[in-house]
Amino acid sequence: MINPTEYLPKSYHRRMSTYWWLARWSYLTFILREASSVFVGWTVLLTLVQIWAVTHGPSANAAFHEWMRHPLMLGVNVVAFLFVLFHAVTWFSLTPKAMVIRVKGQRVPDWAISGPNYAAWVMVSLGIAWVVLRG
Amino acid sequence: MASRITIEVARYNPARDHEPGVSSYEVPLRKEWVVLDALNCIKDHLDGSLTFRWSCRMGVCGSCGMMVNGVPKLACATFLSDYAPGPVRVEPMRHFPILRDLVVDTSDFLMKLARSKPWIIRKMEKPMDQEYFQTPAQLEEYRQFSMCINCLLCYAACPIYGLDSQFAGPAAIALAQRYNLDSRDEGASERLDSLSNPEGIWGCMFVGECTRVCPKHVDPAGAIQQYKLTAATEWLKAMVLPRGAK
Amino acid sequence: MSKRSNEPFLWLLFSAGGSVSAMLMPVHLFLFALAFPLGWLDPPSDETLLVLIRPPLVRVYLFVFCFLSLFHAAHRFRFTLYDGLQIKHLNELINVLCYGGAAVGTVAAAYLLCQVP
Amino acid sequence: MLDISSHDVVIVGGGGAGLRAAIAIAETDPQLSVAVVSKVYPMRSHTVAAEGGAAGVRLDDDSHDEHAYDTVSGGDWLSDQDAVEAFVKEAPRELMRLEHWGCPWSREPDGRIAVRPFGGMKKTRTWFAADETGFHLLHTLFQTSLKYGSVTRYDEYFVTKLLVDDGRVQGVVAVELTTGKVQAVTAKAVILCTGGCGRIFRYTTNAAIKTGDGMALAYRAGAPLKDMEFVQYHPTGLPFTGILITEAARAEGGYLLNKDGYRYLQDYDLGKPEPTPVLRSMELGPRDRLSQAFIREQEKGRTVEGPYGPVVNLDLRHLGEKIISTKLPFVRELCLKYENIDPISQLIPVRPVVHYMMGGVHTDVHGATPLPGLYAAGEVACVSINGANRLGSNSLPELLVFGARAGRAAAAYAADQPSPSRRLLAGAIDEEARLNDHYLQKSGGRERIADLREEMQRIMERSAGIYRSGKSLTGAADKLYELQERSRDIRLDDHGHLFNTELISALELSCMLEIAETMVQSAMERTESRGAHQRTDYPVRDDDKFLAHSMIYRGAAGRPRVEYAPVTITRWPPAERVYGREMRNGE
Ligand SMILES: Cc1cc2nc3c(=O)[nH]c(=O)nc-3n(C[C@H](O)[C@H](O)[C@H](O)COP(=O)(O)OP(=O)(O)OC[C@H]3O[C@@H](n4cnc5c(N)ncnc54)[C@H](O)[C@@H]3O)c2cc1C
Ligand code: SF4
Ligand code: F3S
Ligand code: FES
């Protein structure tokens, strides 16, 4: 259909404030969730540096360990860890929204999808820790 | 319970005002009164120029969306007593241009709705005297998304729409998905053409606030994410399968 | 037209990366950035680590980990810039920076992992 | 500021009837340009509120004749039987068409469309989409209508007048709400689909927009209104809001209980109480009889006193959670939301509330009114299939059948009409001046719209409600006359042009006052009791004198004049209306 309303009176357009994400708790958690991307990137960077260190002999390794023990680094990494954790939790709890699985016409409840996700997460984490610590 | 409550209503008259202001009114606080009853009381007895939309008073026509204390609500389904002792702040739905007082311009949504092609598309129609069988399970696939009353609370809640009015928005996409999932429909690829773009499904950042405010439990956020999954799968198929096979 | 848009591709990378980083990243970060430096756990020696990352499968694992996580982060960061800072008009530039950065990181990861003796 | 635009057919109203008509025209002849003018966005129309379902013969044990008989007897033999026959024949096809358009009908396990029993129907034939049938029906129609390029929408335009020239209706004058601009929309034919007028009464299931505008437009233009004394009360509305608890709640097995927990309907010749629902009996009797039984119970002091007057209780508790949440989810939602009651464990207080207008603009079976170029369909029209009392779930299919018929007839008529004359512009300019003089630019005035409206509603509820008498009606007529006089002295707070809803309220009030007057006048002159029209001073049906439609015209000086027209009887001669027991002398 065509809407013939061409002439509109002067309507009032509002602009979003730059700080809109502070207006509601749910917006803030959204922005925090999105901000986790910075720390995901950061973690990859750390990993790359570490790979470089490991493959470049004792002095590189020593420098790397020194660096990681620096209070500033520790501070940043605590924050990074919290963000990465937050990313993981929101990711798993949102998966069932995007993935609808039906069994015999009944929608599988959310926990039945995110539950196994969390379980796998714990298993994988323990597995990795075991591999690393075993040596 | 106090017997009266103060309502602060945003007022804007384009013929007179440069920007919206606020008027305060005192109305009786009755147990069974919803915000809409308060507004009607003001209009009937205090100030006949107060302007807002309403019709069914039973949460199904979708006319009376507004911000109540900053949250998008249906005025006819929001009890005053939940806000006692007040004051209650009533404003026009966020993210839409204000026409007057609590009335916003929603024509943008109607344009977007039409772009979602919310009707059954088929290559071949059955003769009119035959029905398409659809089991309750198939009905269940899309039923939730067919419950949308176009109240637009989800648009008022979605910051992405507020930032970029080009974004198709939650309800329009959920309704496209409603038809995609209908076993009688064959129009999914046509709809994908108009919705698989940065202003369509890919614009949604999964804020999820749309679902939280939806009075009919439509879950547009879920609809959009599921749509993305389908669209991505379609894209993969198109990449993997030889041209034209599809 | 719009069907040729590359958004689905970027979204697939974003999703895959989201899952990979959600699954693996917390434990990585916990071990190497907190537990070992703070001495809560005994770190494996550097030689052990070298032995550990040498098998091709582990290197592939690390590559995928870096590659997908980077594209996940890039995609998300791109939209955070759009929405949080409302600078959508810098669209092109943001895209180049985000995905370009992820691409550079991915190449670096590949290079470093090939260098493992 | 006056704008003019031109189409082949103008449809006033974007509810079920209006949209069905629009689609019918677009499908019949895509060349015709169609305008849908509506005071609210189409999907806000009150069709959206219909809950229970839509009747159409479906199962093997059913037949068109049985549906027709139920309708005719339900209407106390005032229905035109040729119209009823056309209606029952086309209803299933129309409902099936909606299935093709994507209506999410509720289904049987094997995928076939399911049907449920309904009040006054002897066979199970009501199609439903859970208990939000009207909502799904309206949105399906609206969304489907979006695909037709020949349909232009005028959303939020309030029609104030029909343009008549040379004895033919050739368009409408409307106010665009957003701007206040007066717009003449000319056309070769006009279809009124403006719905009912329940807001004339105090307690009603009807939305704010149901103010009888279309009836008033036609009446003022010279078309007769038919059977205006027949106003349907629905026996189960929520006491404060008037929100409807659908008949489906009783069809699924709900009981009506008085204050002693007794199923009182058994005392009113409606059959014997059985644990499960029996068609055409007890709680599944017709609405008029159930509403009347309520008043009788009230007189006996056996109703419950609630804060908003007397109520009885609707008991769904024995149905159990599963049935309630799958078949009646909306009922539960409404009870929880508006009464803070959970029907799974609690009784629902209900009372009769005004629900539907059997009467309306007089049309033939093609929706044509006696005024050339003017058509009507839906609740605004009176074809009449509903007679003296409409059966639940007959209205939605009526919208579809007669919406489509009116659309096709108007399209055919428009095809060979000359273009609207230029003289119409003068009529539009007059109307613009009238709006300014009477409302916007009028200074002074003392009467508030709301005061007049509330008084009208009280008068109508008290004097022209479920039971009326010559005395109460005469009193009501006098009071209404007085209100009309007072309404000339209305004061608006809002003199602006932009989205002036107060102006709209004033215009709606003037429509309602005029329609209320026709109701009272028709009721006064019908000295018998039939269906929904119950006179305490004339308690029996009088077929000798009143097996006839009342036709009310706007006479000299605006006073109503009633005439009578014969009822078309084809195959079902008048008989006794029997519910809940065997007929005495066979059917
Ligand atoms: C609560 C409730 C439940 C019901 N349940 C059922 C049921 O289960 N089964 C059944 O068969 N029937 C049911 N009915 C009855 C049925 O829903 C209505 O009779 C029917 O929907 C009326 O439809 P309509 O298209 O005629 O009018 P509406 O849907 O009321 O539409 C009227 C249209 O006219 C427009 N309009 C009016 N005046 C003007 C004007 N001045 N200018 C411009 N536009 C104007 C409005 O904007 C609107 O678009 C129910 C009714 C109610 C109130
Ligand atoms: S999705 Fe929900 S909130 Fe959005 S318009 Fe539809 S009903 Fe309203
Ligand atoms: S709030 Fe907006 S960003 Fe998406 S999930 Fe809902 S549409
Ligand atoms: S008035 Fe209809 S939804 Fe509120």
Side-chain angles (χ1 to χ4, degrees):
Chain A
M1 287 205 203
I2 310 149
N3 194 326
T5 311
E6 277 162 17
Y7 168 69
L8 275 182
K10 169 172 92 139
S11 54
Y12 187 80
H13 290 255
R14 292 162 288 181
R15 258 187 62 84
M16 290 270 281
S17 127
T18 314
Y19 306 104
W20 61 267
W21 41 275
L22 289 174
R24 282 182 69 70
W25 180 242
S26 49
Y27 292 167
L28 186 62
T29 53
F30 160 72
I31 280 292
L32 290 178
R33 189 184 86 199
E34 300 302 287
S36 71
S37 57
V38 174
F39 298 95
V40 168
W42 167 253
T43 309
V44 174
L45 197 71
L46 279 187
T47 312
L48 292 180
V49 174
Q50 187 175 17
I51 293 171
W52 175 83
V54 168
T55 50
H56 283 76
S59 65
N61 264 319
F64 177 73
H65 292 310
E66 194 54 37
W67 188 52
M68 290 298 274
R69 270 195 293 270
H70 191 282
L72 200 70
M73 274 304 279
L74 283 171
V76 170
N77 282 335
V78 167
V79 175
F81 178 67
L82 291 177
F83 267 98
V84 169
L85 209 58
F86 186 60
H87 160 59
V89 171
T90 49
W91 192 266
F92 293 133
S93 57
L94 287 177
T95 313
K97 288 263 172 265
M99 265 175 28
V100 172
I101 301 177
R102 284 175 202 278
V103 176
K104 290 199 206 115
Q106 288 284 321
R107 186 168 169 175
V108 171
D110 285 2
W111 56 262
I113 299 174
S114 49
N117 261 322
Y118 282 110
W121 183 38
V122 172
M123 298 303 287
V124 167
S125 300
L126 288 176
I128 290 174
W130 179 74
V131 169
V132 172
L133 293 171
R134 170 187 59 155
Chain B
M1 199 191 281
S3 59
R4 300 185 78 75
I5 187 165
T6 303
I7 315 259
E8 298 167 358
V9 191
R11 304 293 307 264
Y12 173 67
N13 181 352
R16 204 178 50 214
D17 309 330
H18 280 294
E19 54 179 27
V22 177
S23 300
S24 279
Y25 305 92
E26 223 192 50
V27 297
L29 175 59
R30 302 228 168 91
K31 177 167 92 22
E32 56 286 309
W33 269 25
V34 289
V35 171
L36 181 63
D37 292 316
L39 294 176
N40 269 321
C41 173
I42 296 169
K43 184 164 184 78
D44 284 352
H45 304 294
L46 303 173
D47 182 352
S49 71
L50 181 65
T51 307
F52 50 95
R53 292 188 179 106
W54 71 290
S55 180
C56 69
R57 208 221 169 270
M58 56 192 281
V60 65
C61 76
S63 310
C64 67
M66 46 192 82
M67 310 295 293
V68 180
N69 277 2
V71 182
K73 294 270 188 196
L74 293 180
C76 71
T78 306
F79 282 93
L80 268 187
S81 50
D82 291 345
Y83 296 85
V88 188
R89 196 159 29 86
V90 183
E91 294 156 309
M93 276 197 289
R94 220 189 283 135
H95 306 155
F96 293 96
I98 307 174
L99 291 174
R100 190 166 173 193
D101 293 351
L102 300 171
V103 175
V104 294
D105 181 3
T106 56
S107 49
D108 177 54
F109 166 73
L110 277 121
M111 231 169 53
K112 286 174 175 160
L113 180 66
R115 245 183 262 151
S116 295
K117 307 198 181 204
W119 53 79
I120 296 276
I121 299 174
R122 289 187 61 85
K123 289 178 199 83
M124 269 270 290
E125 273 262 17
K126 274 192 187 182
M128 266 305 165
D129 54 339
Q130 284 173 30
E131 67 188 281
Y132 296 94
F133 292 112
Q134 185 169 68
T135 62
Q138 287 171 320
L139 174 63
E140 210 42 47
E141 287 274 327
Y142 69 89
R143 200 191 57 81
Q144 181 180 28
F145 303 140
S146 76
M147 298 304 291
C148 172
I149 59 174
N150 300 354
C151 64
L152 308 185
L153 296 188
C154 51
Y155 285 75
C158 173
I160 305 302
Y161 180 68
L163 291 165
D164 179 6
S165 59
Q166 299 290 308
F167 176 40
I173 303 180
L175 280 164
Q177 181 70 346
R178 170 245 176 277
Y179 281 92
N180 289 339
L181 295 177
D182 191 320
S183 58
R184 296 166 287 189
D185 181 78
E186 297 172 344
S189 75
E190 232 178 272
R191 275 180 218 107
L192 203 56
D193 281 343
S194 50
L195 283 172
S196 178
N197 55 50
E199 279 76 46
I201 49 178
W202 305 112
C204 164
M205 292 310 302
F206 207 176
V207 178
E209 194 64 7
C210 49
T211 290
R212 248 163 265 145
V213 301
C214 175
K216 302 301 284 185
H217 312 293
V218 172
D219 189 12
I224 302 174
Q225 309 322 306
Q226 291 156 33
Y227 204 160
K228 285 183 188 167
L229 198 61
T230 321
T233 323
E234 286 299 313
W235 180 86
L236 268 185
K237 269 198 225 148
M239 291 305 285
V240 173
L241 294 179
R243 214 173 286 251
K246 218 169 161 213
Chain C
M1 33 147 251
S2 47
K3 244 201 166 157
R4 297 272 155 263
S5 143
N6 47 16
E7 291 291 342
F9 172 63
L10 296 173
W11 184 79
L12 278 173
L13 284 182
F14 160 78
S15 305
S19 299
V20 163
S21 53
M23 276 284 168
L24 309 174
M25 207 163 259
V27 63
H28 270 239
L29 204 58
F30 177 75
L31 290 176
F32 292 104
L34 297 178
F36 297 153
L38 286 168
W40 295 343
L41 290 170
D42 280 341
S45 73
D46 297 327
E47 294 73 48
T48 327
L49 279 182
L50 193 58
V51 174
L52 206 59
I53 66 170
R54 192 166 284 145
L57 213 63
V58 176
R59 283 195 253 177
V60 169
Y61 162 85
L62 284 171
F63 174 74
V64 170
F65 172 80
C66 293
F67 157 57
L68 288 178
S69 297
L70 278 174
F71 274 90
H72 166 82
H75 191 72
R76 240 188 193 169
F77 192 60
R78 167 186 152 209
F79 282 100
T80 315
L81 290 181
Y82 285 173
D83 308 326
L85 302 182
Q86 305 191 27
I87 46 176
K88 197 160 187 165
H89 50 284
L90 300 176
N91 206 340
E92 305 280 293
L93 184 67
I94 295 177
N95 284 354
V96 169
L97 283 181
C98 290
Y99 298 117
V104 168
T106 305
V107 171
Y111 173 78
L112 285 172
L113 287 165
C114 288
Q115 295 293 303
V116 175
Chain D
M1 205 181 0
L2 187 121
D3 260 19
I4 189 155
S5 59
S6 189
H7 298 272
D8 290 305
V9 182
V10 171
I11 298 169
V12 186
L19 292 173
R20 182 65 191 91
I23 297 176
I25 301 171
E27 288 199 326
T28 313
D29 184 353
Q31 298 306 316
L32 290 179
S33 117
V34 185
V36 175
V37 187
S38 175
K39 65 177 172 180
V40 294
Y41 279 99
M43 69 279 189
R44 319 277 184 228
S45 303
H46 200 55
T47 300
V48 82
E51 299 171 17
V57 169
R58 169 122 185 100
L59 303 179
D60 288 340
D61 72 338
D62 198 2
S63 68
H64 291 154
D65 281 2
E66 287 193 77
H67 188 187
Y69 180 79
D70 283 345
T71 304
V72 169
S73 59
D76 222 349
W77 276 271
L78 197 65
S79 319
D80 281 324
Q81 297 179 6
D82 53 342
V84 172
E85 288 190 68
F87 163 70
V88 298
K89 203 161 130 251
E90 288 169 32
R93 213 185 307 153
E94 282 295 330
L95 296 172
M96 191 58 80
R97 205 177 293 260
L98 265 143
E99 126 77 17
H100 283 233
W101 286 334
C103 185
W105 294 117
S106 293
R107 304 279 176 158
E108 298 290 353
D110 65 359
R112 283 174 311 126
I113 293 165
V115 280
R116 66 165 37 138
F118 231 72
M121 303 267 188
K122 204 154 105 203
K123 291 283 161 63
T124 304
R125 60 169 79 95
T126 296
W127 306 37
F128 61 103
D131 53 358
E132 305 194 286
T133 311
F135 161 76
H136 286 302
L137 186 142
L138 183 67
H139 280 254
T140 303
L141 283 173
F142 177 61
Q143 289 164 3
T144 302
S145 79
L146 292 172
K147 72 179 181 198
Y148 296 99
S150 61
V151 181
T152 306
R153 270 188 357 248
Y154 293 74
D155 295 335
E156 301 198 317
Y157 279 68
F158 184 94
V159 173
T160 65
K161 187 184 167 184
L162 296 178
L163 286 172
V164 190
D165 185 62
D166 199 14
R168 288 179 301 131
V169 175
Q170 301 186 42
V172 300
V173 181
V175 178
E176 181 186 26
L177 260 76
T178 36
T179 59
K181 189 177 64 185
V182 174
Q183 171 108 22
V185 189
T186 65
K188 296 166 183 166
V190 173
I191 312 179
L192 290 173
C193 300
T194 54
C197 52
R199 283 275 152 180
I200 291 176
F201 291 81
R202 171 80 184 76
Y203 295 106
T204 176
T205 61
N206 283 196
I209 57 171
K210 302 203 72 171
T211 49
D213 308 354
M215 296 173 191
L217 291 173
Y219 182 61
R220 289 169 187 165
L225 304 181
K226 183 160 81 186
D227 295 337
M228 292 301 285
E229 60 273 43
F230 297 98
V231 180
Q232 176 164 76
Y233 274 76
H234 194 293
T236 56
L238 294 179
F240 167 60
T241 54
I243 289 174
L244 175 76
I245 299 304
T246 169
E247 196 154 297
R250 282 169 282 133
E252 296 297 338
Y255 302 150
L256 278 173
L257 307 177
N258 67 11
K259 77 169 191 215
D260 309 318
Y262 172 71
R263 289 174 72 186
Y264 60 91
L265 292 177
Q266 58 191 289
D267 295 356
Y268 300 95
D269 194 18
L270 281 158
K272 291 197 187 48
E274 302 287 342
T276 50
V278 177
L279 293 166
R280 272 180 75 106
S281 152
M282 288 295 290
E283 281 83 0
L284 288 184
R287 291 172 178 175
D288 54 343
R289 299 278 291 273
L290 263 59
S291 298
Q292 289 149 21
F294 172 90
I295 300 288
R296 296 286 183 221
E297 279 296 285
Q298 185 191 342
E299 284 164 4
K300 291 182 195 156
R302 302 203 301 197
T303 49
V304 185
E305 245 348 276
Y308 295 91
V311 296
V312 289
N313 287 316
L314 178 62
D315 187 357
L316 304 182
R317 295 171 303 180
H318 53 284
L319 300 181
E321 152 131 41
K322 184 134 188 278
I323 292 211
I324 294 181
S325 43
T326 55
K327 297 271 186 70
L328 305 165
F330 194 47
V331 165
R332 185 168 180 218
E333 185 187 321
L334 289 171
C335 288
L336 283 168
K337 218 168 13 202
Y338 293 102
E339 293 281 325
N340 207 6
I341 277 175
D342 189 346
I344 291 175
S345 57
Q346 286 167 291
L347 297 170
I348 312 171
V350 291
R351 57 161 294 150
V353 290
V354 166
H355 183 57
Y356 183 84
M357 187 60 199
M358 265 74 72
V361 183
H362 168 55
T363 74
D364 66 11
V365 290
H366 300 291
T369 72
L371 214 55
L374 184 66
Y375 295 76
E379 195 173 338
V380 68
C382 180
V383 180
S384 102
I385 62 159
N386 298 312
N389 171 59
R390 172 178 74 98
L391 290 191
S393 76
N394 260 354
S395 169
L396 293 177
E398 179 187 354
L399 307 178
L400 300 171
V401 170
F402 291 100
R405 278 176 161 244
R408 288 190 295 262
Y413 172 86
D416 50 43
Q417 285 297 311
S419 285
S421 87
R422 301 218 129 264
R423 285 190 302 271
L424 293 172
L425 200 56
I429 291 169
D430 286 351
E431 180 64 3
E432 188 179 24
R434 181 183 78 95
L435 294 179
N436 274 326
D437 297 347
H438 279 54
Y439 300 102
L440 291 177
Q441 278 156 26
K442 194 177 73 172
S443 51
R446 280 169 299 139
E447 299 288 353
R448 280 202 82 84
I449 299 173
D451 295 342
L452 299 180
R453 186 176 57 220
E454 279 162 20
E455 192 151 343
M456 168 192 71
Q457 290 170 338
R458 255 194 314 273
I459 293 166
M460 292 302 281
E461 195 73 53
R462 204 175 42 219
S463 313
I466 297 177
Y467 284 100
R468 335 68 198 238
S469 69
K471 195 158 144 263
S472 75
L473 290 165
T474 322
D478 293 345
K479 293 259 181 48
L480 285 175
Y481 184 76
E482 190 190 307
L483 286 181
Q484 293 224 2
E485 289 300 309
R486 280 171 62 191
S487 74
R488 288 182 217 288
D489 198 24
I490 267 185
R491 187 191 82 209
L492 296 193
D493 292 343
D494 192 345
H495 296 277
H497 284 284
L498 307 176
F499 226 102
N500 190 334
T501 48
E502 203 186 17
L503 169 66
I504 301 301
S505 301
L507 294 170
E508 288 173 340
L509 176 67
S510 83
C511 292
M512 288 194 286
L513 282 171
E514 191 134 20
I515 296 308
E517 187 184 19
T518 67
M519 286 175 177
V520 168
Q521 190 65 32
S522 310
M524 206 144 56
E525 300 198 18
R526 185 178 286 272
T527 49
E528 64 155 355
S529 288
R530 182 187 297 268
H533 172 70
Q534 292 292 317
R535 291 275 302 250
T536 48
D537 44 354
Y538 295 92
V540 286
R541 194 171 90 189
D542 180 355
D543 283 338
D544 290 342
K545 265 169 81 184
F546 289 109
L547 188 61
H549 297 295
S550 53
M551 299 283 207
I552 191 159
Y553 292 84
R554 196 166 188 274
R559 308 305 301 159
R561 185 186 81 241
V562 178
E563 293 173 8
Y564 289 91
V567 172
T568 310
I569 306 277
T570 56
R571 290 157 53 200
W572 298 278
E576 191 198 355
R577 277 175 92 200
V578 175
Y579 293 97
R581 59 177 160 87
E582 290 304 310
M583 313 258 169
R584 273 194 203 119
N585 357 314
E587 236 172 69

